[in-house]
Every structure is written in structure tokens, then in C-alpha cells.
Amino acid sequence: MSQIFPFVVFSLAFTGKANCPYYAKAELLADYLQASLPDFRVHKILQHPDKWEQWLHDICEMNGWEHRQSPIIWRELLDRGGKGRLLGGVNDFLEHAQRYYGITSVMLDEEMLDIAEENLKTYIEIEKEEEEIKSLVKPLQIWITSASSPVCYQLIPLLANGEVFGMTTDISIHLFDTDKFKEILCGIVMEAEDMAFPLLRSISEHTEIHEAFVQADIVIVLDDVLLNHEVQSLENCIREVSKICQVYASLIEKNAKSEVRVISSGKSFVNLKAMLIMTYGPSIKPENVIAVATSWESVAKAMLARKLNMNAAGVKDVIVWGNITGRNYIDLSHAKLYGYDCAIWGPADFPRPLLNMIHDSEWVHSELQSAQSSLSSQVNRCVGMLPAHAVATVLRYWYHGSPPGEVVSVGVLNTGQFCVPEGIVFSMPVRFQNGNWEVMTELEINETTQEVLGCVAHELIQEKQIALKETEEMHH
């Protein structure tokens, strides 16, 4: 028996039905060659008999091959890349082994059948074990409302790529919207499945209201009721928001897990939605409901970075106070710059107070504040990337902590912090740590800021009063 050691390292890929006797014959010979030859590699892929035909069709179509039986064997060059080269079936492999290595198989038909039977039994056992292991790892159940929106479309890859919840956390995404958007939801589901995210256990669409939030760990509320003064009044808008939140709060209490976390996002009434979900769902923990302000933070930082001709990532601790999608206040008194090129030199992590670096104080005090409407239009005009990134960022901080020492603005239930009237959801500076958040009450605010916060709070109090008045009238 002569043996020829190949100069090129390659791997033979063997794929066949788990119960195929010809696969068993080829596999046994391949195992012998791998044990005998230093440069011979075998890559084995067993397929369930029920899935074999479809798998064979797909692999042949992808590679432009013609092959109809089990097994299928091809050669992969390990040091050259490129697609594999089809060798053929069991007879082609036996001929290849005889020609190159002077070795053939003398396995009897009975032995082939016995090994094929054992292969199928082992395959089923391994498959069962893998399913059991998967069932022990419970994926996070994430529900997204108004899921036909562009924000949801942009959000799904951010949630599924592992950066938000970690590379070891599986997730299941549930898309919820009204029946008229069912076709859009089905399209999103198919596209997400085609992307084959390794951590996305499942994705599904739902249009039946009673199905909403079943076993939810996280609920992301994207519903918007946009105010158009020419068409409807503020009271009518708030009445619609109130109706939506009553339904959602009731279903979250009934169907979701007890520790469910609720994220309120969107272009309108973000604070109010969070407050109403707490009000109408008294068993939902108030500390588990957050309104997202990160979009405003990002846009303000980008505006400042353009003014200073620097990277926006170096602008930190800009605070958004108040009504996120209404009257809010962009506070720069604690803002810092990192990596800013100026006369004062220091290490990369050396912070410089932003207000010391902007010498144009008139711009700071007038133009930035008057730019609120500009900021608002930028946030409202965005097609989904900015708010999707904002939601993903807040969730990542909530589960893994915010950067040490860094200020994050979110809307949370105010309990009297910073002398703001309690009982409203108010955007404030917080830090995330160990799965929780806390308001950074140690931050000092000046008298001017305090006065502004009082004015900003007034709008939220009015919205709350209108919403609760409408609810009382409906009940009477």
C-alpha cells in the first residue's frame, strides 16, 4: 500500500443523511485517512433524513453543483480560500482514496447498515440534547408596539447583534401593531430571519390585542399621537394618548412578567406616556418605566461639536431637563469636553469645562436655547436611526451600566428631586449601575436653572391634569 502526502492542506467535507449506509462507508474510510495522514482533514455534517433533500438542493444551488444522492463530498482548500470543489458521492471518494493513497474500503453491506442505524440514533440524541440546552436558556422577550414604524426597523439589528444585552443573551422579538400593518410586519419578520442573527431566537408579528406583551421582559412603546393644531386640540390628542396607555398598562399587568421594563420613546408625549402607564398599571414598578431623552442629548452634542470643530463623541454630560418631546431645557453647566484641541494640553482623559472653551457666551445663552425649535425639528425629522440608537443605548446602560462618572438624561418619575413637583415623569440626570438607575441629586444647579425647571415642569403638570380629567369623565 503506497501513501502520497499532499503538498496542499485541504479538508474533505462529508454530508449525508444520518441513516445513509453509503455515508457510513465513506465516513469510516475518511476517519482512517485522517488518523493516518498528517495533512488530511475531514469536516462531517450529518443531516436529518427529513431535511436532507432540501439541504442538498440548497447547497447545490449555491455552488452550482449537480448531485442527487447521499452522501455529497467536496474538497475545501484550507490555505487558498475560494469555494469548494465537488468530488461527488461515495464511489467518487473510494476512487479518490485508491488513486491518491492506495487505500480502499472492504466494508460489508451489513456493517454499513448497522453503522447507519447507529449514526441516526446518535444524531437524534445529540439534537435532543441541544434542544434541551436551548430550552434551559430562556431568551429575553422583547415586545415593540407600533412596530411598523421606521424606528422599529432600525432598532431590530441593534437589539439582535449582541451589543445591547451581551453576546451570551438570546432574545425573542415580538412586533405588535394594528391589523392594517400586518403585511409590513410579516416583511420585517422575514427580513430579520434572513439575516440569521445568532442571538435572535425568534421574531414574530402580532395584531391581536389580547396577545400583546405575553411573558414580556421588555416593552418598547413607539406609539405616536402627533399634535396638529389645525386639525385637533391638545385635549383631543391627550385623550388618544390616554386611551392607548390605559389599554397597554392593563395588558402589561395581565400578560407581562412582574419585573417587566417599559421604555417610552417617540416624537410626542414621551413623558406623558410613561406617567400614564405607571398610573393605569399600579402593579408595574415605577422605577421600571423610563422615557428616552438620548436623541436630544445626541443632537445637542452634535450641534456643540460643530460649533467647536471637534468630534461629537468628546462632548459629555449635556443634560436634558423636563418634557423630552415638549418644553425642555438643554443644560451645559456640567458639560465637559474630551480630546478638544486648545491651548491647554493634557492627557486624553483630561476633561475641560465646555463653557470655558466657548468664548461666545451670547451664542451659548441665546442661540442654543433659541435652537430648541431647530433641535425639535431635527429629532422629529429623523427616519429612525437616531431614536433607534437612543433606545438601544438606554437599554444597554440599564442592563450593563452607564460609563462611570458620565451623566445620562432620561425621563423618570420625579419624587421631589431638584425641587421639581413630584408625580410627573421628568427628564433628569441619572446614572445606571447593577441593573438599576439613580438620579444624580449630588449635581448642583444654579438659581437660573432652578427657575427654568419650574417653568418646564408646568407643561407636564398641565398634560397630566388634562389626561386624568379625561379619564375621570370617561368613568363617570
Side-chain angles (χ1 to χ4, degrees):
M1 180 178 71
S2 62
Q3 295 182 1
I4 301 173
F5 292 88
F7 293 101
V8 177
V9 181
F10 64 85
S11 167
L12 282 182
F14 285 71
T15 301
K17 288 190 288 187
N19 62 346
C20 173
Y22 299 105
Y23 173 87
K25 185 171 188 174
E27 177 194 32
L28 204 66
L29 178 56
D31 286 344
Y32 175 78
L33 289 172
Q34 182 168 243
S36 305
L37 302 172
D39 294 328
F40 189 92
R41 302 283 184 273
V42 179
H43 178 210
K44 293 185 279 189
I45 311 166
L46 270 182
Q47 294 293 332
H48 194 281
D50 296 343
K51 298 176 182 176
W52 166 252
E53 293 296 335
Q54 185 61 50
W55 191 93
L56 180 63
H57 172 270
D58 292 345
I59 194 76
C60 287
E61 190 174 84
M62 184 174 72
N63 289 284
W65 295 337
E66 284 286 338
H67 193 83
R68 302 187 186 283
Q69 297 172 326
S70 172
I72 179 171
I73 303 163
W74 67 89
R75 193 165 87 160
E76 298 172 325
L77 295 182
L78 299 182
D79 59 349
R80 295 186 185 177
K83 74 174 187 177
R85 199 163 77 193
L86 181 65
L87 185 63
V90 64
N91 290 333
D92 301 292
F93 174 58
L94 293 177
E95 187 182 325
H96 174 86
Q98 179 68 49
R99 183 190 305 160
Y100 283 94
Y101 310 114
I103 298 172
T104 191
S105 171
V106 291
M107 185 187 290
L108 301 174
D109 288 351
E110 258 183 58
E111 289 179 278
M112 289 163 55
L113 290 168
D114 288 344
I115 293 173
E117 190 179 330
E118 186 63 32
N119 275 345
L120 179 59
K121 186 180 174 184
T122 304
Y123 177 87
I124 291 170
E125 285 174 359
I126 291 171
E127 206 173 42
K128 188 179 176 184
E129 281 176 19
E130 287 177 351
E131 286 301 317
E132 285 174 359
I133 290 168
K134 276 187 179 179
S135 70
L136 293 174
V137 181
K138 301 292 184 187
L140 272 178
Q141 303 292 329
I142 303 168
W143 283 78
I144 306 174
T145 72
S146 197
S148 62
S149 72
V151 179
C152 176
Y153 184 80
Q154 299 283 351
L155 181 59
I156 289 169
L158 300 179
L159 298 177
N161 67 12
E163 290 181 18
V164 174
F165 303 107
M167 299 305 295
T168 57
T169 302
D170 285 4
I171 64 170
S172 288
I173 295 177
H174 305 266
L175 308 178
F176 180 74
D177 213 322
T178 57
D179 195 54
K180 71 176 182 177
F181 295 111
K182 187 176 178 67
E183 195 174 326
I184 293 174
L185 297 187
C186 290
I188 295 171
V189 166
M190 288 177 65
E191 192 168 348
E193 287 175 341
D194 288 345
M195 291 181 77
F197 293 105
L199 297 172
L200 183 58
R201 181 79 68 85
S202 65
I203 181 166
S204 54
E205 86 284 343
H206 306 265
T207 55
E208 296 292 333
I209 191 69
H210 66 273
E211 293 179 0
F213 316 131
V214 171
Q215 291 298 299
D217 292 291
I218 297 164
V219 174
I220 301 169
V221 179
L222 299 179
D223 298 69
D224 268 322
V225 177
L226 299 177
L227 176 60
N228 183 341
H229 288 291
E230 294 177 8
V231 179
Q232 60 187 149
S233 65
L234 174 66
E235 287 77 10
N236 285 339
C237 272
I238 290 177
R239 185 182 292 121
E240 282 187 53
V241 174
S242 185
K243 284 178 185 175
I244 292 167
C245 291
Q246 281 190 68
V247 173
Y248 285 174
S250 171
L251 288 165
I252 290 169
E253 282 194 305
K254 180 184 174 185
N255 295 339
K257 293 178 184 172
S258 59
E259 294 294 323
V260 63
R261 297 179 179 188
V262 182
I263 294 270
S264 173
S265 184
K267 298 178 181 179
S268 63
F269 302 107
V270 170
N271 298 56
L272 182 64
K273 286 186 293 188
M275 189 277 297
L276 291 175
I277 286 170
M278 296 178 200
T279 304
Y280 298 138
S283 69
I284 302 167
K285 295 183 177 179
E287 64 270 23
N288 281 4
V289 184
I290 278 179
V292 176
T294 325
S295 295
W296 283 88
E297 268 189 19
S298 300
V299 173
K301 287 174 181 177
M303 183 179 282
L304 290 161
R306 284 192 289 270
K307 173 71 175 176
L308 293 161
N309 194 28
M310 65 175 292
N311 190 329
V315 184
K316 306 287 185 185
D317 301 347
V318 172
I319 302 172
V320 179
W321 296 95
N323 192 355
I324 296 162
T325 47
R327 189 175 180 188
N328 58 42
Y329 173 60
I330 309 295
D331 181 6
L332 306 181
S333 60
H334 299 276
K336 300 179 187 70
L337 304 178
Y338 292 83
Y340 179 55
D341 187 13
C342 67
I344 305 170
W345 287 83
D349 59 351
F350 176 69
R352 298 169 176 83
L354 181 141
L355 293 178
N356 289 359
M357 298 296 110
I358 297 182
H359 304 295
D360 188 352
S361 59
E362 188 178 331
W363 185 89
V364 173
H365 295 297
S366 62
E367 193 162 328
L368 183 64
Q369 296 312 318
S370 67
Q372 292 286 75
S373 59
S374 168
L375 284 169
S376 180
S377 65
Q378 280 178 260
V379 172
N380 289 334
R381 203 168 53 237
C382 65
V383 292
M385 263 195 296
L386 179 61
H389 180 264
V391 170
T393 300
V394 168
L395 278 170
R396 186 173 75 249
Y397 290 169
W398 208 346
Y399 277 82
H400 299 290
S402 51
E406 199 168 308
V407 175
V408 183
S409 304
V410 291
V412 294
L413 185 65
N414 190 285
T415 55
Q417 297 97 332
F418 301 107
C419 301
V420 171
E422 57 185 80
I424 55 174
V425 169
F426 198 81
S427 182
M428 296 183 286
V430 306
R431 69 170 65 85
F432 289 91
Q433 201 170 10
N434 301 322
N436 301 305
W437 55 264
E438 61 175 344
V439 178
M440 300 176 73
T441 50
E442 72 275 12
L443 288 183
E444 294 182 7
I445 58 174
N446 55 38
E447 287 182 22
T448 306
T449 301
Q450 190 67 68
E451 285 177 24
V452 173
L453 297 192
C455 298
V456 169
H458 181 67
E459 183 181 61
L460 287 166
I461 294 166
Q462 274 190 314
E463 287 183 0
K464 179 181 178 180
Q465 287 171 343
I466 294 169
L468 298 183
K469 183 184 174 186
E470 294 290 346
T471 306
E472 286 171 15
E473 288 176 358
M474 283 168 58
H475 288 156
H476 288 310

